[in-house]
Amino acid sequence: MKNRRKPKIIEIKGLSKNFGLTTALNQVNLKVDNFLTLFGPNGAGKTTLIRILSTLMKPSSGEAKINNIDVLNNPVRARSQIGVISHETHLYDGLKAEENLKFYGKLYNVKNLDKRINSLIKKVGLEHREKDRVADFSRGMRQRLSISRALLHDPLVLLLDEPYTGLDQHAAETLEQILDKFEDRTILQTTHNLERGLKLCCQVAILVDGEIVYKANAEEIGFEELKQIYNQKVQQNE
Amino acid sequence: MNEYLKKVQSIVWKDIIIELRMKEMLNTMLIFSILVILISSFAFGTFNQEMTQSIAPGVLWIAFTFAGMLGLGRSFISEKDRGCLQGMMLAPTDWSAIYIGKTIANLIFMSIMEILTLIVFVVLFNFGQIITSPLKFVLITIVGTFGFVSVGTLLSAVSVNTKTREMLLPVLLFPVIVPIIIGAVEATLSIITANGQFWGWVRILVAYDIIFFTVSALSFNYVIEG
Amino acid sequence: MEKEKALGILSLIAISTLIVISFLIKSPFFQQNGDIYRMLFFHVPLAWIAYLAFFIVMISSIFYLKKEDRKYDNYAAASAEIGVIFAALTLITGSIWARAEWGVWWRWDPRLTTTLVTWIIYVAYLTLRGSLSEERKARLSAVYGIIAFISVPISYLSITISLHPQPITGGGGISSTIANGLIVGVIAYTILYTYILRIRKNTFESHDEVQMIEKNRRRTNTE
């Protein structure tokens, strides 16, 4: 765990989201300035929160700001500051590794794209496979490539939605190394994996049934304690 | 604006490269359209010149639209399967760029299928002889195909969200493109018979194209959101 | 609920009046084919109100996309259902008319053909609603509700041009008594439409409420 110092960069106020009759998020307030891990069981609303923050979805009410940019009123500008890693890779099977990155790089207007791609591919350890099609990649390799895809435009904010799902050991380590080096950026991570989630973060929060039920600094809480609180909170709502 | 067009262009390029490698859409569309022509010629018996003239436009446009439907159905499935659509939506661009890029790509695939189908059609139906103005025919094909693809791309994005995925697309799309089918067939017929209201039909189809392209581009955001 | 009751009674009165009037009006022009012309007072207003219903689907759809309020989605769904039924009745009465007048069940008359195409579009609309998950149902069907209605006038235009129609009602066919009957018909069916629309919308809302209560009950039970 490291000390990170940054102004509050993700601000969520009174955020709610309904799908038809289901309430996915209910009055969520959250501030993230360095690295927060949001724990919660499946269906708690974690993915919905990430989708709203990454401008893929509009909330029913409330507001969210990223680096002082309102994601509702200014989605296009907000997007250029956000990198998203989720359990879906966002990669085309029919394109080569390098082509995938080139395609997304163009969508993000990345300057010196070739150089950037080279260094990122090295970072995730795929330099000898860059000319291969993603269809031939293993799950772990895809996920590593997906990490470099999310970092293409050097985002200020990283949103991670269950990033460890389906990762092999190598990919999980790569991700942790990258996150660890990401000191000057803000990271919001969601997971139901308590051990992995607690490893690098500075703050923790627990989301159950669309509501934030617990917040704490990671330094003040040990793994066992977190586990106890988490199980208690989740059981209350089941 | 220039940046916007560049992004549209990369989306089109991406689709073309993938299609050239996988050939998922083009092969199926082409085989299907040729089958439609073959089956029609069996079903209607051997044609004499007169009969060919009155039936040719209908057979041709049934082949185009049915085969096109098959391709459009696939258009968003590949985008959904690995979350690629979301990947594009995360990029700092207005989402209409995705719609326009996909529409242009589909237009290109449709045109390739149409050209190859037409070659078969010319051989089997002696189509080159009965048509009076090839230029007019090219014009009406472009105008008709554009309208078809404009609505089709939007509704393809709608139908991938349904339980049956692309199964519902024909049901949604065909009744809405009735004007396109009527217009294209009538205009083609007027080229063959060298009378009838060719330009009137072109005008109606152009109006259709403008209206539906605009409405589709505007409502696409609502379709893919979430 | 009082309002609904009043509307219900009102539509009963209006439709009864229409039935009585349809038997009273005489038309020497139409008389030559027997009493079949009395169908006109039902056929034409049904068609008008069917199109009104489809128009309301589009308006509600636009409002839904702008405001994301479930109310508008319920209106759109209710209006589409009524429109489909009214359009179906238009087609059936039209078909009976054609049988009596020309001895065939179907004539490719532009207006009837357009109604057939429109009817299919809104059956497709309802099918789409049925196969979407709750999350996206309202938004996606709203988009189709808009596309659907825009296509109607263009369809009518191209169908009309391609069918080269013969005029169906000959010169002087519509006398002022007939016109008055049609006006009564349109008013009566508008009232009926409003009544069913409210009832269906209330049903959808109650359905929503029941589901909400179910959900909350399940939640409090476990806590």
Side-chain angles (χ1 to χ4, degrees), chain A residues 177-194:
Chain A
Q177 276 168 22
I178 288 170
L179 293 182
D180 206 25
K181 277 185 217 149
F182 226 61
E183 283 170 31
D184 51 342
R185 302 286 193 265
T186 304
I187 302 172
L188 171 63
Q189 163 178 271
T190 74
T191 182
H192 62 270
N193 185 334
L194 297 181

Side-chain angles (χ1 to χ4, degrees), chain B residues 96-161:
Chain B
S96 60
I98 303 174
Y99 168 75
I100 295 174
K102 292 299 281 184
T103 305
I104 295 175
N106 287 334
L107 201 60
I108 292 171
F109 300 144
M110 276 278 289
S111 311
I112 296 172
M113 177 271 288
E114 285 172 345
I115 290 168
L116 295 176
T117 305
L118 212 56
I119 294 172
V120 176
F121 204 66
V122 166
V123 173
L124 289 183
F125 278 60
N126 204 13
F127 194 62
Q129 296 287 309
I130 58 175
I131 207 148
T132 55
S133 161
L135 268 179
K136 275 186 178 176
F137 180 73
V138 170
L139 176 68
I140 197 68
T141 307
I142 291 172
V143 177
T145 308
F146 182 74
F148 176 79
V149 171
S150 300
V151 199
T153 305
L154 178 81
L155 293 183
S156 165
V158 170
S159 71
V160 287
N161 290 298

Side-chain angles (χ1 to χ4, degrees), chain B residues 16-213:
Chain B
I16 291 175
I17 291 176
I18 294 176
E19 186 53 43
L20 286 181
R21 280 193 196 143
M22 308 295 224
K23 296 182 191 73
E24 272 183 348
M25 241 163 116
L26 265 177
N27 282 356
T28 324
M29 283 203 304
L30 190 64
I31 293 168
F32 190 79
S33 70
I34 293 173
L35 275 176
V36 169
I37 291 173
L38 270 180
I39 285 172
S40 319
S41 63
F42 295 146
F44 296 119
T46 331
F47 301 131
N48 54 29
Q49 183 76 6
E50 234 170 87
M51 225 175 129
T52 310
Q53 287 192 359
S54 56
I55 285 172
V59 171
L60 194 59
W61 281 97
I62 289 175
F64 285 174
T65 47
F66 276 57
M69 185 84 63
L70 225 55
L72 286 174
R74 298 292 313 169
S75 178
F76 276 92
I77 286 182
S78 55
E79 300 285 357
K80 275 253 163 180
D81 278 345
R82 302 236 178 247
C84 296
L85 181 63
Q86 272 186 24
M88 285 195 278
M89 287 162 71
L90 287 169
T93 322
D94 193 86
W95 290 342
S96 60
I98 303 174
Y99 168 75
I100 295 174
K102 292 299 281 184
T103 305
I104 295 175
N106 287 334
L107 201 60
I108 292 171
F109 300 144
M110 276 278 289
S111 311
I112 296 172
M113 177 271 288
E114 285 172 345
I115 290 168
L116 295 176
T117 305
L118 212 56
I119 294 172
V120 176
F121 204 66
V122 166
V123 173
L124 289 183
F125 278 60
N126 204 13
F127 194 62
Q129 296 287 309
I130 58 175
I131 207 148
T132 55
S133 161
L135 268 179
K136 275 186 178 176
F137 180 73
V138 170
L139 176 68
I140 197 68
T141 307
I142 291 172
V143 177
T145 308
F146 182 74
F148 176 79
V149 171
S150 300
V151 199
T153 305
L154 178 81
L155 293 183
S156 165
V158 170
S159 71
V160 287
N161 290 298
T162 62
K163 285 167 202 150
T164 47
R165 306 201 97 184
E166 78 264 41
M167 283 262 287
L168 199 59
L169 180 63
V171 178
L172 297 178
L173 183 52
F174 269 127
V176 180
I177 56 152
V178 162
I180 296 260
I181 295 178
I182 295 177
V185 168
E186 292 273 337
T188 310
L189 197 65
S190 84
I191 300 171
I192 292 174
T193 57
N195 59 39
Q197 307 216 326
F198 177 79
W199 292 108
W201 286 114
V202 170
R203 244 176 277 148
I204 290 177
L205 289 195
V206 167
Y208 183 100
D209 290 2
I210 293 170
I211 294 169
F212 277 87
F213 179 74

Side-chain angles (χ1 to χ4, degrees), chain A residues 56 79 90 92-94 99 107, chain B residues 7 21 79 82-83 93 226:
Chain A
L56 294 182
R79 276 176 219 150
H90 309 309
Y92 290 93
D93 279 353
E99 287 169 337
L107 291 188
Chain B
K7 287 174 185 174
R21 280 193 196 143
E79 300 285 357
R82 302 236 178 247
T93 322

Side-chain angles (χ1 to χ4, degrees), chain A residues 148-206:
Chain A
S148 61
R149 189 208 74 90
L151 300 178
L152 265 174
H153 54 299
D154 202 11
L156 289 173
V157 175
L158 261 191
L159 304 173
L160 289 82
D161 185 17
E162 295 280 2
Y164 295 103
T165 314
L167 281 203
D168 59 14
Q169 195 58 29
H170 186 181
E173 273 163 24
T174 313
L175 179 59
E176 274 176 3
Q177 276 168 22
I178 288 170
L179 293 182
D180 206 25
K181 277 185 217 149
F182 226 61
E183 283 170 31
D184 51 342
R185 302 286 193 265
T186 304
I187 302 172
L188 171 63
Q189 163 178 271
T190 74
T191 182
H192 62 270
N193 185 334
L194 297 181
E195 203 179 346
R196 283 244 188 250
L198 192 59
K199 223 170 177 181
L200 296 166
C201 69
C202 310
Q203 290 167 295
V204 295
I206 299 177

